[in-house]
């Protein structure tokens, strides 16, 4: 689909920032490639996040070339139009669409990559390339870069420096533009609707996969491409498995259900988790642990502001959890001792936050050298403390065993503080129990 005028202007501005940050040299960005699922059936295609960020081009098997200082700095190599193929899977943009719709200064068929690109690389002093990619298209680019470098003794020109394109792109992606924040709001609103509907409708006897299907259906009905990651629908002790995705157990009465599910829309991801009772109310042990996680999350969010760090936010969350674990006698000793010796990691083993954006675990450095990175307006991250008591923890009071709780929100750093973008999803006990009572009415 042809990008809107606003999107084309946004992409032009992004490319200008990339070219300016490069200083000199050439950046090579491969698109994602189609992946076989089985036989001749492919997995649903999802564009490479860096390539999509710079080009907006939605098709596989393409290469973007940015040349700093060139009169025509933006070239796309794409698949040619194919009328026969269009009958089966739809039309391609082709060379014509790459110029007319996606505003490439120059476009070529991908088939001539090895013919056209050497002349560009032969004049480049440095090359930017995604160092973490390993696929056939990226290998073609590496071969061409090595060839250009090998010509230096003969020609006196060609690249002598190789840099990761993420050094530039991931820094730019870390701070979201207003249009990106608007898209994040859209997809998070979709995820919020799905979580509220689950709270209103889940009943014991349903299977986890039925709940997953309901959540995914809401994502699609609201215009998302689908889940941003495999939805976690974990009932009972399954919630103590951090990345549980089997989703095949029937939901039992009077246990907890942890749902970690986020939609993806227009290339941006939501990531929201809630934990609620399958019955009408939390039992006293469930409530004790839930209150501990909620207090930890609220304290962590309250500590977030421009200038602080995700490390500091994590430390705040950990101390509140440790205080609760000591009060409930799941840990012994002092708060400082438990934090220093990390004895809490038996029940809370992951970090509190990660960046969020085009990827669920979005790009951007967490530390600058040895120093944790300071938060700035426009950054988006999660806050997701949890407690997970193993079912076989024989030294823990029996009512706590097999309980897993996580509460996760998506948070935007603003000029004056933070905004919880997923605030529409209930997390206070009274709100949740009101919805659960409706589910059992």
């Amino acid at each position: 689909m042809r990008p809107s005028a606003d999107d084309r202007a946004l992409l032009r501005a992004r490319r200008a920032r990339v070219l300016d940050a490069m200083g000199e040299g050439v950046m090579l960005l491969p698109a994602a490639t189609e992946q076989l699922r089985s036989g001749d059936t492919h997995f649903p295609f999802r564009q490479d996040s860096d390539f999509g960020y710079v080009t907006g081009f939605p098709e596989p098997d393409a290469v973007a070339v940015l040349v700093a200082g060139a009169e025509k700095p933006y070239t796309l190599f794409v698949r040619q139009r194919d009328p026969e193929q269009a009958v089966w899977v739809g039309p391609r943009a082709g060379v014509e669409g790459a110029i007319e719709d996606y505003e490439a200064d120059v476009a070529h068929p991908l088939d001539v990559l090895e013919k056209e690109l050497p002349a560009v690389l032969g004049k480049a002093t440095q090359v930017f390339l995604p160092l973490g990619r390993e696929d056939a298209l990226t290998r073609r680019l590496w071969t061409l870069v090595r060839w250009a470098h090998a010509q230096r003794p003969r020609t006196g020109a060609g690249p002598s420096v190789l840099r990761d394109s993420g050094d530039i792109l991931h820094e730019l992606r870390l701070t979201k533009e207003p249009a990106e924040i608007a898209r994040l709001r859209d997809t998070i609103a979709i995820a919020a609707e799905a979580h509220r509907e689950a709270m209103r409708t889940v009943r014991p006897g349903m299977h986890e996969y039925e709940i997953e299907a309901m959540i995914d259906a809401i994502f699609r009905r609201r215009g998302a491409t689908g889940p941003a990651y495999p939805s976690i629908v974990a009932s009972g002790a399954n919630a103590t498995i951090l990345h549980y995705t089997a989703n095949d157990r029937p939901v039992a009465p009077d246990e907890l259900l942890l749902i970690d599910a986020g939609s993806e829309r227009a290339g941006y991801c939501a990531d929201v988790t809630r934990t609620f009772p399958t019955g009408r109310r939390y039992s006293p042990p469930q409530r004790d642990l839930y209150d501990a996680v909620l207090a930890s999350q609220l304290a962590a969010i309250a500590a977030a502001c421009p200038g602080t760090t995700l490390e500091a936010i994590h430390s705040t969350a950990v101390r509140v959890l440790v205080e609760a674990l000591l009060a409930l006698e799941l840990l012994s000793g002092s708060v400082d001792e438990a934090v220093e010796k990390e004895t809490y990691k038996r029940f809370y083993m992951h970090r509190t936050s990660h960046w969020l954006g085009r990827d669920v675990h979005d790009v951007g450095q967490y530390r600058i050298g040895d120093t944790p990175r300071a938060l700035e307006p426009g950054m988006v991250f999660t806050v997701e403390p949890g407690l997970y008591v193993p079912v076989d923890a024989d030294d823990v009071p029996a009512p706590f065993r097999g309980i897993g709780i996580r509460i996760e929100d998506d948070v935007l750093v603003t000029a004056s503080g933070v905004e919880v973008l997923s605030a529409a999803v209930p997390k206070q006990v009274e709100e949740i129990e009101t919805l659960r009572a409706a589910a059992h009415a």
Side-chain angles (χ1 to χ4, degrees), residues 137-217:
L137 186 54
T138 305
R139 286 194 292 272
R140 288 172 68 181
L141 296 177
W142 276 102
T143 297
L144 290 168
V145 171
R146 285 194 294 266
W147 179 90
H149 176 71
Q151 304 309 303
R152 285 180 54 81
R154 299 185 183 91
T155 65
S160 59
V161 176
L162 179 65
R163 291 184 57 188
D164 187 357
S165 54
D167 290 347
I168 291 174
L169 297 180
H170 297 174
E171 286 299 295
L172 293 175
R173 284 176 54 190
L174 181 55
T175 302
K176 273 56 181 180
E177 302 153 340
E180 293 181 287
I181 294 170
R183 288 182 174 176
L184 281 165
R185 290 185 191 279
D186 285 346
T187 192
I188 292 168
I190 294 170
E193 179 180 328
H195 279 271
R196 291 194 303 268
E197 185 64 14
M199 291 180 185
R200 283 193 294 261
T201 60
V202 166
R203 299 287 295 271
M206 297 176 68
H207 280 75
E208 294 164 341
Y209 55 71
E210 295 178 72
I211 302 165
E212 178 186 15
M214 177 197 69
I215 289 168
D216 289 355

Side-chain angles (χ1 to χ4, degrees), residues 417-436:
V418 297
E419 177 187 352
V420 179
L421 299 176
S422 49
V425 190
K427 62 183 175 184
Q428 296 292 340
V429 169
E430 294 75 12
E431 295 177 287
I432 291 173
E433 290 186 341
T434 297
L435 288 176
R436 296 307 298 144

Side-chain angles (χ1 to χ4, degrees), residues 171-335:
E171 286 299 295
L172 293 175
R173 284 176 54 190
L174 181 55
T175 302
K176 273 56 181 180
E177 302 153 340
E180 293 181 287
I181 294 170
R183 288 182 174 176
L184 281 165
R185 290 185 191 279
D186 285 346
T187 192
I188 292 168
I190 294 170
E193 179 180 328
H195 279 271
R196 291 194 303 268
E197 185 64 14
M199 291 180 185
R200 283 193 294 261
T201 60
V202 166
R203 299 287 295 271
M206 297 176 68
H207 280 75
E208 294 164 341
Y209 55 71
E210 295 178 72
I211 302 165
E212 178 186 15
M214 177 197 69
I215 289 168
D216 289 355
I218 292 172
F219 290 169
R220 292 295 288 136
R221 187 169 67 242
R222 286 286 306 274
T225 55
Y229 50 93
S231 297
I232 297 170
V233 182
S235 59
N238 288 339
T240 65
I241 303 170
L242 299 186
H243 289 168
Y244 171 80
T245 56
N247 298 350
D248 58 2
R249 177 181 179 271
V251 174
D254 301 321
E255 61 185 10
L256 294 181
L257 179 65
L258 184 155
I259 298 178
D260 185 339
S263 51
E264 181 176 5
R265 186 173 190 276
Y268 289 82
C269 301
D271 190 3
V272 180
T273 307
R274 291 293 186 268
T275 309
F276 58 86
T278 60
R280 292 172 179 265
R281 295 179 180 85
Y282 295 90
S283 70
Q286 292 169 353
R287 177 71 184 265
D288 286 342
L289 292 181
Y290 186 88
D291 284 347
V293 176
L294 180 60
S296 171
Q297 202 225 20
L298 292 174
I301 292 172
C305 62
T308 194
T309 67
L310 295 186
E311 186 70 31
I313 292 169
H314 177 66
S315 296
T316 297
V318 165
R319 291 194 73 86
V320 175
L321 287 177
V322 166
E323 289 169 359
L325 290 170
L326 290 169
L328 295 170
E329 299 184 347
L330 274 72
L331 289 179
S332 59
S334 68
V335 173

